[in-house]
Amino acid sequence: MIRERRPEDVAGCVAALRAVHDADRYPTEWPADPAAWLDPEGLTAAWVAETDGEIVGHLCVATAPDAAVVADTGVPPERLAAIKRLFTTPAARGRGVAAALVAAAVARTAEGLWLDVVEGEPAVAFYERLGWRRIDTRPADWMAQDGRRRTVHVYVAPRPPEG
């Protein structure tokens, strides 16, 4: 079940994030305050996936202006929002949980939804399967643990069918 995240879900989200980090090293570095990490600057909404009372996935949306997204979509910077902190536990994978979380964000975000993905990550193929459109490739604005700057691909959400 996909639903809006509630304050009492945070401990379950942190436990799910720990399982993801242990399996996949996402996030690359374990945050000093994982509960705060789940609430990035500009947070506007967050959802969880729950199975049998256990949190098995998470996604949030935060305001995030981006010049390439503005140029591509025409949406003013103040109305842009980015998908952040998407993860599903290893046990929940292959069941459509991540796709359902993304669909919830797309359905509840009127326009200007975008995200970035590190080049070479499996998430690139995932978003492309969902119909997200790559509009830019650029150096990340952060450094990896090895001191190198990664390349990220910027995607915008599929446009709803006209009609």
Side-chain angles (χ1 to χ4, degrees):
M1 166 178 60
I2 306 298
R3 61 174 174 75
E4 288 189 25
R5 188 182 77 192
R6 300 185 293 246
E8 60 269 22
D9 295 326
V10 172
C13 291
V14 169
L17 182 63
R18 183 82 234 185
V20 171
H21 176 76
D22 289 349
D24 305 322
R25 290 294 174 237
Y26 176 80
T28 305
E29 294 183 44
W30 184 252
D33 184 349
W37 184 85
L38 293 169
D39 289 344
E41 185 177 336
L43 179 75
T44 59
W47 296 270
V48 296
E50 183 180 30
T51 302
D52 298 326
E54 181 179 343
I55 303 294
V56 297
H58 178 274
L59 176 146
C60 63
V61 173
T63 57
D66 184 89
V69 178
V70 170
D72 182 81
T73 65
V75 176
E78 66 275 5
R79 293 199 348 237
L80 294 179
I83 286 184
K84 306 275 186 182
R85 314 305 195 241
L86 171 60
F87 58 88
T88 59
T89 61
R93 295 193 186 140
R95 295 192 224 157
V97 172
L101 283 163
V102 170
V106 169
R108 291 170 180 92
T109 305
E111 60 181 349
L113 189 59
W114 68 279
L115 55 86
D116 61 11
V117 180
V118 174
E119 183 175 65
E121 290 293 323
V124 168
F126 168 73
Y127 287 112
E128 289 179 358
R129 274 193 313 275
L130 294 180
W132 287 65
R133 189 170 46 85
R134 186 185 306 184
I135 63 159
D136 195 17
T137 298
R138 64 176 84 142
D141 60 1
W142 46 268
M143 300 294 278
Q145 276 184 307
D146 62 9
R148 296 184 328 174
R149 191 169 304 279
R150 300 290 191 250
T151 298
V152 295
H153 300 300
V154 177
Y155 288 85
V156 293
R159 291 188 174 106
E162 297 197 21

